[in-house]
Each structure stands twice: as structure tokens, then as C-alpha cells.
Amino acid sequence: MPTLILVRHGRSTANTEGVLAGWTPGVALDERGAAQAAALPGRLAGLPIAEVVTSPLQRCQETIRPLLDTRPGLVPHTDERIGECDYGDWSGRKLAELNDEPLMEVVQAHPTAAAFPGGESMRTMQHRAAEAVREWNARVEREHGADAVYLMCSHGDIIKSLVADALGLHLDLFQRISVEPCSITAIRYTRLRPFLVRLGDTGDLSSLAPREEPPSGDATVGGGAGAP
């Protein structure tokens, strides 16, 4: 079966403002995110990408555009099932403010029980994304062969949930996974099991350096802004 390259969108204005974007329209890449997107074609230069599938949200569309510009034969497919989690009434709110919500503790410690008011549950998010991958795996293998490589551009929580699915990791543990903006995660699927062959690869180790403020033990909902 094919190898899936998962790219998280580049750093967005919501990331730098500490806002949970969700499906809020008009959330674009910031200056650094645009530079990350511009570097993506070079990072992927050695890969024969058969198909590109992207979230419909602007920050993903902007991230994948430089790659498509260098590969005019690739026609992107938009799939809403790999769009960001629907955070409902939480969308557009500051993460610092949401940390005081009782639901945030559930999101951190027991995400299978978390459903966002006016939005969707995290279980539903993972299920739709995993179903999309399974369907695209079958389509890519059918049209391009079992050794094909294809790419999906999506969001932090979506990618983390797909990694958990590939590892057979319970969704309640998926907050232990971290993927930075414009990082590359690769999963090679086989008939019996998936293999996680890259996780959150940015080629940059600066995020591992000590910070002035020690990192919180909580995961950043929606994914963080990456290295300072």
C-alpha cells in the first residue's frame, strides 16, 4: 500500500496570536509560515508525489501552493474530512482564555469524552480523518501502484490523531504526540500494519532548546506555533 506524507500547514496568524482557529475563515499564513511553505518544495524534491490532498482551509491551501507551482502536473484534491477539528463555540477564542474552561481538562486527559459545544467530538474528528486516509490509500494504490507516495496537507490535531491510529494508540493518549507547523510526518501502509517512518520532521532542532518559560505539561489544542 502507499506511503502517506502528512504536512501540517505553515505557521498561521492564529498560531502567533494564540487563537484556536478551527474553521474560522480568513486565517492565513504569517510571514514565517509563508517562508516555511516556500521551503517545502525543496524538502520534498526527491519524492515522486503521485497525488496531493488538502484541507479546504486557507492556511493549508497556502502551504501547498508553492509545491504545486513547482509540479504543474499535480492537480490538488480538496477533502473536508482532513479539515481541522470543528471546535464549535471555542473557535476564534484565545487559548489562554480556554484553559480556564472545565472541558479543557477533558480535552487534555480524556479526549475520547471531549465534544466541543456547537462543534464535534474528538472521536468523530479521528474517525473521519482515518476513513479519508483509508479511502485515499485504496485509490492511490489502484491508480498509481502499491509503492506510490502521496501527500496530505492538514492540521495539528488531525495529524496527531492519524499517527495515533497508525500506531494503534488509544485516542486518550494522542496528546503525547507533537507536530510543529510545516512539519512532515510519514506513514507507510502495508497489508498487515502501518509503519510510522517520520514524525514531525522540520529539519530544525531549535524547538528542543531550553526556553525562558518552561513548557506546560498540557498539549496545545490545534497544535502550537512551533519554535520561537
Side-chain angles (χ1 to χ4, degrees), residues 8 155-157 159-160 163 177-181 183 185 199-200 223-224:
R8 185 184 167 199
H155 306 265
D157 280 349
I159 293 173
K160 287 163 56 177
V163 169
I177 300 166
S178 176
V179 290
E180 292 200 357
S183 63
T185 294
L199 176 61

Side-chain angles (χ1 to χ4, degrees), residues 188-211:
R188 180 173 295 125
Y189 289 87
T190 73
R191 186 172 63 86
L192 295 181
R193 64 184 62 86
F195 292 90
L196 179 65
V197 291
R198 293 287 188 281
L199 176 61
D201 186 350
T202 62
D204 177 7
L205 300 181
S206 60
S207 65
L208 303 179
R211 302 189 185 184

Side-chain angles (χ1 to χ4, degrees), residues 33-198:
Q36 291 170 332
L40 194 59
R43 295 168 64 197
L44 297 170
L47 293 179
I49 298 172
E51 297 282 0
V52 169
V53 187
T54 180
S55 156
L57 294 172
Q58 179 178 339
R59 52 197 183 274
C60 286
Q61 302 277 337
E62 290 179 351
T63 297
I64 216 65
R65 177 51 52 192
L67 176 66
L68 296 173
D69 287 344
T70 64
R71 303 196 188 200
L74 277 178
V75 178
H77 306 273
T78 298
D79 194 326
E80 292 193 354
R81 294 174 297 176
I82 61 167
E84 180 63 284
C85 183
D86 183 355
Y87 299 115
D89 298 343
W90 279 25
S91 300
R93 293 176 61 187
K94 289 279 189 179
L95 286 163
E97 170 190 318
L98 291 170
N99 284 335
D100 295 329
E101 295 279 355
L103 178 60
M104 182 60 85
E105 185 177 8
V106 182
V107 170
Q108 293 292 332
H110 190 24
T112 52
F116 296 97
E120 68 180 336
S121 70
M122 301 198 91
R123 287 180 291 108
T124 300
M125 173 199 74
Q126 183 187 43
H127 177 74
R128 63 172 165 84
E131 285 298 302
V133 167
R134 285 166 173 76
E135 289 182 20
W136 277 102
N137 281 348
R139 174 173 172 174
V140 170
E141 180 173 5
R142 184 173 61 250
E143 296 180 3
H144 301 282
D147 295 328
V149 176
Y150 75 107
L151 182 148
M152 283 184 168
C153 186
S154 188
H155 306 265
D157 280 349
I158 295 290
I159 293 173
K160 287 163 56 177
S161 74
L162 290 171
V163 169
D165 176 75
L167 292 175
L169 189 69
H170 199 285
L171 184 62
D172 281 346
L173 302 178
F174 99 125
Q175 298 289 27
R176 301 182 182 196
I177 300 166
S178 176
V179 290
E180 292 200 357
C182 224
S183 63
I184 292 173
T185 294
I187 303 171
R188 180 173 295 125
Y189 289 87
T190 73
R191 186 172 63 86
L192 295 181
R193 64 184 62 86
F195 292 90
L196 179 65
V197 291
R198 293 287 188 281

